[in-house]
Amino acid sequence: MRLAALSAAIVPLASLQAEDGYDLWLRHAPLEGESLARLQAHDGEIVALNPDEPTVALAISELRAGLDGLLGKADRAAQTGSYTAFRFDCDHPAIAPGGAFRITPADRLLSIDAAEPVGCLYASYAILRELGQGADPSTLALDSAPAMPLRMLNHWDNPDGHVERGYAGRSIFDWWHLPERLDQRMIDYARANASVGINGVVVNNVNARAFMLEPRYIAKFARLADAWRPYGIRVYLSARFSAPMDIGGLTTSDPLDPQVAAWWRAKADEIYTAIPDFGGFLVKANSEGQPGPQDYSRTHADGANMLAEGLGDRGTVIWRAFVYSAEDETDRTKQAYAEFVPLDGQFADNVIVQVKNGPLDFQPREPFHPLFGAMPKTKLMFEGQITKEYLGFASHLAYLAPLWKEVLGADTGRGGPVTKSVAQVIAPAGMAGVANTGSDRDWTGSDFDQANWYAFGRLAWNPALSSESIAREWAAQTFTRDPQALGTITAMMQGSREAVVRYMTPLGLAHVMDTGHHYGPGPWVCDLARPDWNPCYYHRADGEGIGFDRTPAGSDALAQYAPDVTAQWADPATVDPRYLLWFHRVRWDRVMPSGRSLWADLVHEYDAGVAAVDALARDWQTLAPHIDAQRHRAVAENLAIQQVEARWWRNASLAYWQSLHGLPLPAGAAPIPESLADYQRRAFPEAPGQ
Ligand code: BDP
């Protein structure tokens, strides 16, 4: 039966060989038909002015290997003809430095120009990306430059191999065996990053261990830096602010103490001796129990500037704005703005302040962070979370480009007569993504989560790309080039994050997940020691209504946005319903624009989310003829988990809201199969990533 179905669809068997996802989007599966014929006609020698320079050599070898894959050549060293088909000039004066490249087609020749070798490497990957989607090499013209200088991954990986908020196995970094042993994965990882333009990697958790600054670790970082340098990737470290005391024998870490500053300067010198192109430090300070300058009544600027001076013009301090304090009782979403805006203009030139996409914490949906646009004299960097701590871990399909695009494209309402979008605000600095990689064979814990790594890099290169086009190019390289199948996959991806929002946190709700591991619903959690760790703090639901009043009558967090932005969100009658309960407290019986009550609208949202996941599972089934069985099954199994868990979110959340107001479910809504107590009893002490 199954064979008959396969042959009926005339699917080439080669593309259906079992795959385990290890090759990511760099599979370079053989082309077919016309696109294959066109590439065969074009193929020839690859030449470069300086072919032995390590990065140029990579640009050539990556292009050759990729072309051979696309051409279906089993023998990768196969003879390629006697004329030049690709010519690299990686020292071209007319191209801007920083990774830009230009590809110009002529008669059976692609000229590739860049100012630096890394631009040529990026060009190789771009050519393969285009050809891999069936582009015609004889007309392939590209002029591309990165939109921002820093395109980074932040690994929350601990030295013992555990990954905080990691859902793809253990850490990919084998610190125990470094520097002597360098896993091949470290090279494959660098290729994957370079192929989407990622050029910086923070290798350890922001909740940092000070001992990672000891000499034995510096040797390990140096080995990685050497391996990644040809791929244009610089190593950065998370630094624990109290390191001078923890490992340096000092009695203080006060940033204004000359001994402390001298300790960090010496530490920086030591690192630069081993890693001449070391990127710099990432610091989480005075946040969630981490030490910082405020322990000495100093400011974030005092702390950051002291470290920046130690690095000098050799590197950058990336200082996180994710701060909120146990003692501060103001709305948690207001605290970063309140602490950082007064410091605008005080940070040294080589300091960047890294701001999460929203003011809370990587929720399925948040409005953009009010700091974007509010610190015009400071370089601000965007921090997104590629790993899906709050969006169903690795088993739920949630393509995150639409989430990031929503923020990058937001108009901050600030920046002059022509106001700036978030993407424009961060352009002088960059984007950081909390990595979702791990030791799992497929790297990211699921096939579709690879798309989030890919999309993050592509958006950091060019935030103007549409999430749809990124999904399509990723899927074409990862799964299949069949146009109809691609249309289905792209549509699935495009709607997937919204589905998660609807069954987890509809209408602007946030932070309603269970405690600690953040797996599954826990809107009933109200008794944690810190108020701002309780879901109840965020949804504020009772018998009358639900939602966080952030208008002037409430916390007035709205006032942190520019007036035009505030105006869009100020009125519960006109606010975009996606942000309704984020900014407003609304009565359960309020009549909504739909004509239904808020309660009925909320039920509708949860149900729409569940239905959307059912549709994802159905759509995926139709793709069986186009996807190799191993990956098809893996995705199908994840979708089955998601179907169950979407219902869990819906039912547990509704049971809790109902326990507050006692209203019946609207007519036609599916009954809730278990009692609230049953949902509350579920416990997952072993959930990953904690
Ligand atoms: C939260 C995570 C926590 C991180 C923190 C951070 O739950 O594990 O340490 O963010 O960004 O989302 O520092």
Side-chain angles (χ1 to χ4, degrees), residues 156 164-165 206-207 284 288 320 322 356 361 389-390 518:
W156 287 359
E164 183 161 332
R165 311 308 177 185
V206 286
N207 298 314
K284 172 176 178 176
E288 299 186 330
R320 293 178 88 226
F322 178 69
K356 286 190 180 180
D361 191 8
E389 174 181 358
Y390 297 104
H518 299 165

Side-chain angles (χ1 to χ4, degrees), residues 395-443:
S395 39
H396 294 210
L397 200 175
Y399 170 55
L400 297 177
L403 187 166
W404 298 323
K405 286 282 293 180
E406 211 167 270
V407 173
L408 291 166
D411 184 348
T412 63
R414 303 189 201 268
V418 181
T419 58
K420 289 187 177 170
S421 67
V422 171
Q424 287 169 317
V425 168
I426 62 165
M431 278 172 69
V434 180
N436 64 348
T437 49
S439 58
D440 280 6
R441 186 67 193 157
D442 65 14
W443 294 90

Side-chain angles (χ1 to χ4, degrees), residues 568-633:
Q568 291 167 33
W569 292 332
D571 182 348
T574 55
V575 65
D576 181 337
R578 299 179 303 174
Y579 300 113
L580 177 68
L581 302 178
W582 183 280
F583 287 113
H584 300 281
R585 185 174 159 71
V586 182
R587 290 180 56 90
W588 293 109
D589 59 4
R590 183 188 172 98
V591 180
M592 306 296 291
S594 64
R596 295 182 291 249
S597 67
L598 171 71
W599 168 235
D601 254 10
L602 204 59
V603 176
H604 174 80
E605 285 298 307
Y606 286 111
D607 283 336
V610 169
V613 177
D614 288 346
L616 289 176
R618 274 197 310 274
D619 290 346
W620 185 252
Q621 284 311 322
T622 69
L623 295 169
H626 300 282
I627 315 281
D628 59 282
Q630 185 170 336
R631 289 188 300 164
H632 189 268
R633 198 192 61 222

